[in-house]
């Protein structure tokens, strides 16, 4: 997540120095929490050999978040060179962490300064890249739980700028955007659709999100819709992954604002059997799989989750992990959700290799 940062006199000098450090990949002592997080990542991806044969360059609009870092590490393992957009001084410390975590991959991680609200700046950042991973989001320190109506508008604006920049950057052939299941779920008043199926054709109702002040859902919905509009109008290849609530060890240390914002309305999602989660490494793996299948005929919307919260003990576990009151997650629905679990259906017909994104092995 990004905050528009305050400028500092030595920002450019710090960025140049840090970018040089990234290039030579020197290792410094990590803080205990980040070291434990990276060890978790190593355990997840050790089964993959580093692919040195793929020299493609990709840009990630925010490689410094919990998800962005996981995607960056998996891309590096697949042989990609990863260019990370740096937005200001507040990103420098997080960039240092990424430098330490990726020390093994010498010379294959880059940093570039760009403003996500300016198309020309993004074109400069994207130039020379084969594809773009649009993962960035925004927070408003003055908003409730860090995400406000204003942030929803910014989210849509940035999506527009990113897609326009992708479509006019000569080297860029495709874009993979991180959306949210919340862009699919909120439909038909306070109840969900019947029959209870959520698939790639499902869209949340914008008016409902606005009326319920579900700003995070609204932001993801508007951002994804404008991305698809531009992609269709300009004939540009786009895929989106509609992700469930991201989970990971020490979740709130790495991902506090999106977690709290996602869980607004959790009691209704729980009641209707659509409160789903996904491990960050499963989600990162899905991103790279979908992106690589886009080399062929693949495109479209994909749902990604690995668990649906339907039982009391599952709700309690989620409450403990997120430090959200249990009553706000389950409401008055004790023991199990009121309705049978809604069936989530991913888009299966586009390609064969990644047929079941909700149960990636």
């Amino acid at each position: 997540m990004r905050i528009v940062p305050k400028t500092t006199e030595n920002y450019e000098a710090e960025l140049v120095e840090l970018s040089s450090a990234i290039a030579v990949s020197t290792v410094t002592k990590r803080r205990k929490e980040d070291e434990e997080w990276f060890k978790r990542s190593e355990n997840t991806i050790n089964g993959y050999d580093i692919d040195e044969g793929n020299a493609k360059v990709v840009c990630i609009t925010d490689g410094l978040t919990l998800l962005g870092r996981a995607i960056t590490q998996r891309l590096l393992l697949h042989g990609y060179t990863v260019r990370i957009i740096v937005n200001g001084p507040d990103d420098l410390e997080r960039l240092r962490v990424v430098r330490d975590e990726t020390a093994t991959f010498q010379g294959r991680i880059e940093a570039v300064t760009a403003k996500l609200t300016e198309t020309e700046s993004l074109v400069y950042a994207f130039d020379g890249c084969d594809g773009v991973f649009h993962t960035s989001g925004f927070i408003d320190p003055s908003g409730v739980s860090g995400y406000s109506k204003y942030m929803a508008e910014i989210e849509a604006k940035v999506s527009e700028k990113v897609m326009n920049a992708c479509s006019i950057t000569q080297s860029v052939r495709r874009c993979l955007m991180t959306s949210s299941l919340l862009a699919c779920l909120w439909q038909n008043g306070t109840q969900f659709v019947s029959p209870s199926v959520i698939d790639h054709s499902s869209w949340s109702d914008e008016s409902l999100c606005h009326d319920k002040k579900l700003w995070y859902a609204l932001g993801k919905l508007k951002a994804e819709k404008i991305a698809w509009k531009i992609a269709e109008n300009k004939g540009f290849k786009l895929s989106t992954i509609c992700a469930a609530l991201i989970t990971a060890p020490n979740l709130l240390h790495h991902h506090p604002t999106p977690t709290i914002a996602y869980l607004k309305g959790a009691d209704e999602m729980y009641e209707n059997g659509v409160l789903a989660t996904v491990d960050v490494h499963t989600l990162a793996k899905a991103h790279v799989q979908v992106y690589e299948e886009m080399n062929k005929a693949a495109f479209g919307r994909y749902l990604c989750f690995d668990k649906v919260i339907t039982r009391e003990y599952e709700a309690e576990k989620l409450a403990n992990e997120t430090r959200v009151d249990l009553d706000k997650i389950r409401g008055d629905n004790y023991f199990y959700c009121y309705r049978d679990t809604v069936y989530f259906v991913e888009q299966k017909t586009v390609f064969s290799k990644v047929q079941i994104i909700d149960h990636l092995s």
Side-chain angles (χ1 to χ4, degrees), residues 157-187:
K157 179 180 179 182
V158 168
S159 177
E160 180 181 10
K161 299 297 182 181
V162 167
M163 288 303 300
N164 281 330
C166 284
S167 67
I168 63 177
T169 304
Q170 188 172 2
S171 64
V172 176
R173 297 189 298 168
R174 56 196 183 277
C175 177
L176 178 60
M177 176 180 177
T178 308
S179 185
S180 173
L181 274 180
L182 298 183
C184 309
L185 301 181
W186 291 99
Q187 306 172 31

Side-chain angles (χ1 to χ4, degrees), residues 23-48:
V24 298
S25 298
T26 56
V27 182
T28 60
K29 183 178 180 181
R30 301 185 187 96
R31 288 176 294 187
K32 182 178 179 181
E33 294 88 349
D34 290 310
E35 186 173 284
E36 291 175 350
W37 186 89
F38 186 50
K39 285 180 180 179
R40 159 73 171 168
S41 174
E42 289 181 312
N43 291 335
T44 305
I45 59 185
N46 271 342
Y48 286 80

Side-chain angles (χ1 to χ4, degrees), residues 143-157:
V144 177
S145 68
Y147 202 96
S148 64
K149 181 180 179 181
Y150 172 69
M151 288 294 100
E153 298 301 323
I154 293 294
E155 193 104 36
K157 179 180 179 182

